[in-house]
């Protein structure tokens, strides 16, 4: 059992947990992820690391509630624990001195980009953080992101805060304004990462995305997470999660993300019918 | 009790005089094919006490013990069979566990027909003694009568510490042997359950997971510490383990799935056998939606490959509701690496075989789901490096097979993580670790290896044999009798 120490509801369906996982905390690097299993019946779910503290032996994760396993996870409170946490998995993010770097994040990706942005800034890059959300209510941790960047630009789909639009629109604004951008890193939902990659493609700006497709073991054993990058088959769990956004076959990835949609809905419906009282008590 | 035994012996002496050699083995009750093809319960029920004693009675108790020589871990086969015959089951279990800590697993999944049973004297004129079934019977009896089985004696503590990486058959055997020899052993396992391929690969209907769990518990009862969710190479390197342990044994298996590398292989509905079986076995997708992990099986399933894993995958697909399941294999029946028994089981259950057939591309629908597979017919040419005749495509013989699920079962290669993160550890061109066959010593001091990580994908028992040999070498090193 891995104890939950802190819990914070960040936005509708986005939750932050601080979990005791000393073995992971000792070795974690920016851009890596863990595989978590909530209980005996839960799925193994990849979750990007939003932070860690080797001294306290804790890790931070921010996640979106989408299916049964994450729904169950969302109902746990400090004092309880999750059954399994393994990692750190994946290759650490590439952190070099590039110059001007845009770190774009949306949804749970805001957590995941924090350690990467911090590492990039420490390497002497000028970090422009871009945060997107459907509306003001979906934004969180602006202060944390500001603390690890030189500039923060916010965009909301409904215009309730910052620029009306999305992270890719902000990137387009920067490019149109003649701003020099040496590298873009996008972390968020698949669609957001695809749009950010499209925004930079014609300008030849190197763009890196952090892919967390459906996984099972996370150690390279099953090949469930295979993605097509530059015509090659790569395993997101061991070859990634960072890939060149201009080379990723997005259509295939998006259709793969949806491949269990029917089962996920069925599972969640059944679970909610059996556990409605837990949802009411929240 | 003692009187009973004497009576039994007296009876036996009498029968011995007029003993007739029985060439046919006692059949083991099994679920009927048409029933079992739709459930995940164990296929074979196992011998009852009476059936086991009856089968044990066929053993000739040869002086030369050829069967023991045929066993990779040298179980004292005639002795344990004699004990079964006499109904002294505690004794039979004790004899087995002297050499094998995992009899419930071996009795079910060892290829006995090419090992112990292939050497049986009775096999020359009839069927060999069903050694595997008797071993399984003993293990199941021990599980049902836990209180009656004495614990095996352990050597006094040596104060030496050994890290075992991976809890599959090689790791479990090395760990239990070393614990019995008095060393403190810690097993590091990357997944959330111990057992390696025994839990993620071999299906419930062939090896029930409660049997694996019970044997893992037995290993722990010997004092072995088990650390789950711990990926060596990530959470700690081998060098870091060496700082805390006197020796390290690597039994990380061959976990990376091979693909065909043909167009369309990343379409939805195409699984590696590893993924398919891991979902079904480790994550219990066959119990979805009670368990959260799903697996998708369509109406027409093609399993590519001819090994035991392909048989397991095809039989799982049937049980998950597929209407038609095809094994598609590029050579002919004679070259199939799967055990005959597994092929027969699959055939009985209704799996179809398409021999001398090889896929060349997968065809997807508008939503990127596989809907068909283009294949080419093959013919056998000259023998290749493996000694089997090389399959060559017949030009112009392409045809299309409609399928909605594909399971690619072409074998596995070792996970490179440990080799990549451990300086001084040499690998072969195939990605396996270089290790001495007799001792398991790698090219790095104080590091041993055994099982699929050294040999490439092989059997459970050969991995156990490697774990056994390495544990002897590690023990000799720790006692200062051997240099490394």
């Amino acid at each position: 059992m891995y104890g939950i120490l802190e819990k914070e509801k960040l936005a509708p369906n986005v939750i932050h947990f601080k979990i005791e996982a000393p073995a992971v905390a000792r070795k974690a690097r920016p851009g890596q992820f863990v595989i978590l299993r909530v209980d005996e019946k839960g799925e193994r779910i990849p979750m990007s690391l939003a932070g860690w503290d080797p001294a306290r032996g804790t890790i931070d994760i921010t996640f979106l509630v989408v299916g049964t396993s994450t729904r169950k996870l969302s109902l746990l409170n400090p004092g309880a624990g999750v059954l399994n946490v393994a990692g750190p998995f994946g290759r650490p993010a590439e952190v070099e001195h590039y110059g001007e770097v845009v770190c774009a994040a949306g949804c749970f990706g805001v957590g995941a980009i924090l350690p990467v942005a911090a590492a990039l800034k420490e390497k002497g890059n000028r970090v422009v953080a871009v945060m997107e959300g459907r509306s003001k209510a979906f934004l969180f941790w602006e202060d944390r992101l500001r603390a690890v960047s030189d500039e923060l630009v916010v965009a909301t789909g409904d215009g309730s805060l910052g620029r009306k639009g999305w992270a890719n629109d902000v990137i387009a604004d920067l490019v149109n304004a003649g701003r020099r951008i040496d590298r873009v890193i996008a972390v968020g939902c698949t669609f957001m990462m695809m749009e950010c990659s499209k925004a930079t493609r014609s300008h030849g700006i190197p763009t890196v995305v952090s892919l967390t497709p459906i996984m099972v073991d996370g150690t390279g054993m099953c090949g469930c997470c295979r993605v097509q990058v530059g015509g090659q088959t790569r395993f997101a769990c061991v070859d990634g999660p960072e890939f060149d956004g201009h080379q990723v076959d997005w259509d295939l990835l998006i259709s793969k993300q949806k491949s269990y949609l029917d089962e996920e809905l069925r599972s969640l419906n059944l679970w909610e019918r059996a556990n409605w009282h837990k949802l009411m008590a929240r | 009790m003692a009187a009973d035994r004497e009576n039994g012996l007296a009876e036996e002496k009498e029968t011995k005089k007029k003993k007739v050699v029985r060439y046919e083995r006692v059949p083991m009750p099994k679920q009927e094919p048409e029933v079992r093809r739709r459930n995940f319960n164990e296929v074979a029920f196992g011998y009852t006490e009476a059936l086991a004693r009856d089968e044990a009675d066929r053993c000739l108790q040869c002086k030369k013990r050829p069967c023991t020589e045929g066993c990779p871990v040298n179980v004292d086969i005639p002795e344990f069979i004699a004990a079964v015959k006499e109904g002294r089951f505690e004794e039979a279990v004790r004899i087995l566990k002297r050499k094998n800590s995992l009899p419930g697993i071996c009795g079910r999944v060892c290829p006995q027909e090419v090992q112990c049973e292939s050497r049986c004297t009775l096999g020359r004129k009839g069927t060999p003694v069903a050694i595997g079934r008797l071993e399984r019977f003993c293990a199941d009896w021990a599980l049902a009568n836990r209180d009656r089985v004495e614990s095996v004696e352990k050597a006094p503590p040596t104060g030496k510490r050994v890290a075992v990486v991976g809890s599959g058959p090689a790791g479990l055997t090395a760990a239990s042997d070393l614990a019995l020899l008095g060393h403190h052993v810690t097993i590091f396992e990357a997944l959330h359950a111990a057992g390696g391929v025994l839990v993620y690969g071999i299906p419930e209907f062939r090896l029930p997971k409660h049997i694996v769990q019970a044997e893992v518990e037995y290993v722990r009862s010997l004092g072995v510490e088990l650390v789950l969710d711990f990926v060596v190479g990530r959470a700690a390197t081998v060098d870091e383990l060496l700082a805390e342990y006197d020796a390290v044994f690597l039994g990380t298996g061959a976990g990376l799935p091979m693909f065909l590398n043909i167009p369309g292989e990343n379409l939805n509905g195409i699984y590696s056998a590893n993924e398919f079986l891991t979902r079904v076995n480790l994550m219990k997708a066959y119990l979805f939606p009670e368990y959260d992990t799903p697996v998708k099986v369509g109406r027409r399933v093609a399993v590519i490959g001819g090994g035991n894993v392909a048989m397991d995958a095809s039989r799982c697909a049937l049980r998950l509701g597929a209407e038609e399941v095809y094994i598609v294999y590029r050579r002919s029946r004679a070259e199939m690496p799967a055990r005959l028994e597994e092929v027969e089981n699959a055939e009985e259950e209704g799996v179809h075989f398409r021999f001398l057939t090889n896929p060349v591309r997968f065809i997807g629908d508008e939503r990127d789901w596989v809907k068909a597979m283009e294949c080419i017919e093959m013919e056998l040419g000259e023998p290749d490096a493996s000694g089997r005749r090389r399959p060559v495509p017949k030009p112009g013989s392409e045809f299309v097979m409609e399928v909605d699920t594909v399971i690619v079962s072409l074998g596995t290669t070792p996970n490179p993580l440990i080799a990549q993160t451990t300086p001084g550890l040499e690998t072969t061109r195939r990605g396996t670790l270089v290790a001495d066959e007799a001792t398991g010593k790698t090219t790095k001091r104080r590091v041993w290896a055994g099982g699929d990580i050294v040999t490439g994908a092989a059997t459970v028992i050969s991995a156990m044999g490697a774990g056994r040999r390495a544990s002897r070498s590690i023990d000799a090193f720790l006692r200062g009798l051997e240099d490394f």
Side-chain angles (χ1 to χ4, degrees):
Chain A
M1 201 61 112
Y2 300 77
I4 297 170
L5 301 177
E6 289 171 27
K7 175 183 183 177
E8 191 186 351
K9 192 173 166 193
L10 300 172
N13 283 335
V14 181
I15 291 173
H16 163 241
F17 272 152
K18 192 180 278 299
I19 300 177
E20 273 181 310
V24 179
R26 217 163 30 230
K27 285 301 182 87
R29 305 271 308 278
Q32 288 188 307
F33 64 94
V34 291
I35 292 268
L36 180 149
R37 197 172 69 126
V38 57
D39 58 28
E40 196 50 49
K41 295 179 178 177
E43 287 186 85
R44 288 174 68 93
I45 315 168
M47 292 199 176
S48 305
L49 284 165
W52 54 89
D53 182 343
R56 284 181 68 197
T58 61
I59 59 165
D60 297 278
I61 51 165
T62 51
F63 65 94
L64 180 68
V65 180
V66 278
T68 308
S69 287
T70 44
R71 168 73 73 202
K72 288 192 281 193
L73 194 61
S74 74
L75 295 179
L76 296 177
N77 287 311
V82 295
L83 195 52
N84 303 99
V85 178
F89 288 119
R91 292 147 56 114
E94 240 175 71
V95 177
E96 299 293 334
H97 180 77
Y98 305 104
E100 186 101 2
V101 181
V102 170
C103 289
C107 192
F108 61 90
V110 173
I113 208 147
L114 285 173
V116 181
L120 283 165
K121 193 164 156 58
E122 199 171 297
K123 269 274 180 195
N125 293 287
R126 188 171 183 281
V127 174
V128 180
V130 178
M131 184 191 248
E132 69 160 41
R134 210 185 306 166
S135 72
K136 205 172 143 185
F138 287 83
L139 299 178
F140 58 90
W141 283 5
E142 292 100 313
D143 52 335
R144 294 198 188 193
L145 198 49
R146 190 169 281 126
V148 294
S149 59
D150 297 280
E151 186 183 342
L152 173 69
V153 188
V154 172
T156 49
D158 65 356
S160 53
L161 192 70
R163 186 202 197 282
K164 186 172 190 299
W166 306 95
N168 53 297
D169 297 320
V170 175
I171 293 170
D173 289 349
L174 293 170
V175 172
N176 291 337
R179 288 272 294 267
R180 189 183 135 191
I181 304 174
D182 297 297
R183 190 178 173 90
V184 170
I185 295 159
V187 187
C189 71
T190 310
F191 188 77
M192 174 265 184
M193 292 189 284
M194 176 179 79
E195 290 300 317
C196 288
S197 302
K198 279 185 189 162
T200 59
R201 190 180 193 129
S202 60
H203 305 286
I205 302 167
T207 300
V208 164
V209 293
S210 179
L211 305 182
T212 40
I214 302 174
M215 294 186 185
V216 184
D217 64 288
T219 65
M221 196 181 84
C222 78
C224 171
C225 65
R226 60 196 197 275
V227 288
Q228 217 154 290
V229 184
Q232 302 276 315
T233 297
R234 312 294 298 276
F235 288 7
C237 66
V238 287
D239 301 325
E242 271 195 357
F243 292 104
D244 178 348
H246 298 149
Q247 303 276 324
V248 171
D249 184 335
W250 292 102
D251 292 343
L252 192 64
L253 181 63
I254 287 172
S255 92
K256 261 199 167 355
Q257 287 288 74
K258 292 190 206 151
S259 57
Y260 289 100
L261 214 54
D262 296 348
E263 286 78 7
E264 281 164 16
L265 282 174
R266 187 170 153 227
S267 166
L268 189 57
N269 278 335
L270 287 169
W271 184 87
E272 284 187 342
R273 231 181 281 170
N275 295 278
W276 58 272
H277 52 285
K278 291 186 192 160
L279 294 169
M280 300 299 288
R282 230 163 13 139
Chain B
M1 180 76 191
D4 275 4
R5 196 173 287 168
E6 265 167 34
N7 284 342
L9 286 174
E11 254 176 45
E12 189 198 327
K13 262 180 198 151
E14 253 185 44
T15 49
K16 216 167 201 169
K17 280 180 223 155
K18 50 185 175 185
K19 179 152 182 165
V20 188
V21 178
R22 291 158 57 203
Y23 288 113
E24 287 308 311
R25 58 169 64 169
V26 176
M28 177 161 64
K30 267 193 196 181
Q31 282 195 70
E32 289 303 322
E34 51 283 11
V35 177
R36 69 178 197 244
R37 68 196 291 266
R38 293 291 183 224
N39 72 52
F40 272 84
N41 301 334
E42 192 168 14
V43 167
F45 296 122
Y47 281 150
T48 58
E49 289 192 8
L51 291 173
R53 292 186 66 175
D54 195 22
E55 176 63 21
D57 182 53
R58 292 177 60 226
C59 176
L60 301 176
Q61 294 291 320
C62 311
K63 288 261 152 29
K64 284 181 68 186
R65 313 156 53 84
C67 47
T68 296
E69 284 164 29
C71 172
V73 295
N74 304 113
V75 166
D76 298 310
I77 295 167
E79 283 84 349
F80 103 78
I81 290 185
V84 172
K85 176 182 166 181
E86 291 155 19
R88 294 184 290 119
F89 303 130
E90 297 103 305
E91 177 67 8
V93 172
R94 212 180 51 78
I95 296 167
L96 262 172
K97 290 211 167 165
R98 246 172 13 206
K99 295 288 175 64
N100 185 352
S101 298
L102 316 170
I105 294 164
C106 287
R108 287 173 168 84
V109 303
C110 269
Q112 289 98 6
E113 68 280 4
V114 296
Q115 296 171 351
C116 52
E117 293 178 9
S118 74
R119 315 282 181 96
C120 178
T121 313
L122 275 177
R124 283 189 224 151
K125 282 193 174 172
T127 52
V129 174
I131 301 168
R133 296 174 182 180
L134 291 172
E135 182 181 29
R136 172 189 161 167
F137 165 78
C138 291
D140 291 357
W141 187 92
L143 200 56
N145 300 277
R146 244 173 281 208
D147 46 330
R148 287 168 65 183
V149 182
E150 301 164 40
S151 50
V152 182
E153 245 177 77
K154 271 176 68 174
T158 60
K160 301 288 185 185
R161 291 160 55 81
V162 184
V164 169
V165 185
S167 66
L172 287 176
T173 305
S176 62
D177 282 6
L178 288 164
L180 287 172
L181 292 163
H183 308 298
H184 184 270
V185 183
T186 308
I187 300 182
F188 295 96
E189 167 57 49
L191 293 176
H192 60 255
V197 72
L198 307 169
V199 289
Y200 74 73
I202 303 176
E204 178 77 17
F205 56 84
R206 224 155 55 75
L207 178 62
K209 298 311 147 215
H210 75 268
I211 299 286
V212 180
Q213 219 177 345
E215 301 208 327
V216 168
E217 279 313 309
Y218 171 76
V219 174
R220 289 182 64 189
S221 77
L222 300 174
V224 171
E225 192 188 342
L226 179 61
V227 180
L228 299 174
D229 299 329
F230 196 98
V231 184
V232 173
R234 289 277 182 219
T237 61
V238 171
D239 282 316
E240 285 167 317
L241 293 182
L242 283 170
E244 285 182 45
Y245 294 87
D246 299 294
V248 172
F249 174 78
L250 303 173
T252 49
L256 288 197
M258 295 203 272
F259 284 94
L260 289 148
N261 296 317
I262 59 174
E265 202 163 16
N266 293 330
L267 288 167
N268 290 315
I270 303 182
Y271 291 100
S272 72
N274 261 12
E275 179 188 351
F276 182 75
L277 291 172
T278 300
R279 282 180 179 272
V280 176
N281 301 322
L282 178 71
M283 305 310 295
K284 304 211 184 301
Y286 68 96
L287 298 174
F288 178 87
E290 188 197 335
Y291 280 72
D292 299 346
T293 304
V295 68
K296 259 200 153 81
V297 172
R299 290 174 49 235
R300 286 170 60 90
V301 179
V303 180
I304 319 296
N308 287 319
V309 174
M311 300 306 135
D312 284 346
S314 67
R315 297 171 69 195
C316 283
L318 269 183
R319 284 160 171 78
L320 290 164
E323 285 167 27
E324 283 171 79
V325 178
Y326 293 90
I327 293 267
V328 177
Y329 182 52
R330 63 194 183 124
R331 302 180 203 242
S332 74
R333 178 182 289 266
E335 288 83 22
M336 271 207 297
R339 290 178 70 186
L340 184 64
E341 189 188 333
E342 298 310 323
V343 177
E344 284 172 359
N345 275 329
E347 270 186 322
E348 275 176 22
E349 290 168 13
V351 172
H352 305 285
F353 288 78
R354 284 266 187 285
F355 295 111
L356 294 166
T357 304
N358 207 24
V360 289
R361 73 184 175 107
F362 298 103
I363 302 159
D365 65 11
E366 65 290 344
R367 289 169 51 243
D368 282 332
W369 280 87
V370 66
K371 64 170 185 184
M373 171 169 99
E374 186 179 313
C375 298
I376 190 162
E377 286 177 27
M378 311 290 277
E379 55 196 354
L380 293 179
E382 294 302 306
D384 64 8
S386 74
R388 297 177 298 180
R389 292 175 64 194
R390 185 195 301 273
V392 249
K394 270 199 237 171
S397 66
E398 291 88 350
F399 67 99
V400 171
M401 232 178 124
E402 265 180 51
V403 289
D404 47 16
T405 303
V406 175
I407 302 166
V408 181
S409 176
L410 300 174
T412 52
T413 54
N415 193 321
L417 183 60
I418 285 192
Q420 281 168 0
T421 55
T422 313
L425 212 51
E426 252 178 65
T427 52
T428 67
R429 265 186 309 129
R430 292 157 53 225
T432 53
L433 293 185
V434 174
D436 181 65
E437 209 193 311
T439 62
K441 284 177 178 169
T442 65
T443 53
K444 190 177 175 76
R445 231 191 127 245
R446 294 197 287 134
V447 179
W448 283 257
D452 286 2
I453 181 80
V454 174
T455 56
T459 61
V460 168
I461 188 73
S462 68
M464 290 178 56
R468 159 75 36 86
R469 291 190 296 278
S471 66
R472 289 204 184 121
S473 170
I474 293 170
D475 180 61
F477 167 76
L478 295 177
R479 291 179 196 279
L481 305 170
E482 206 175 278
D483 232 17
F484 191 18

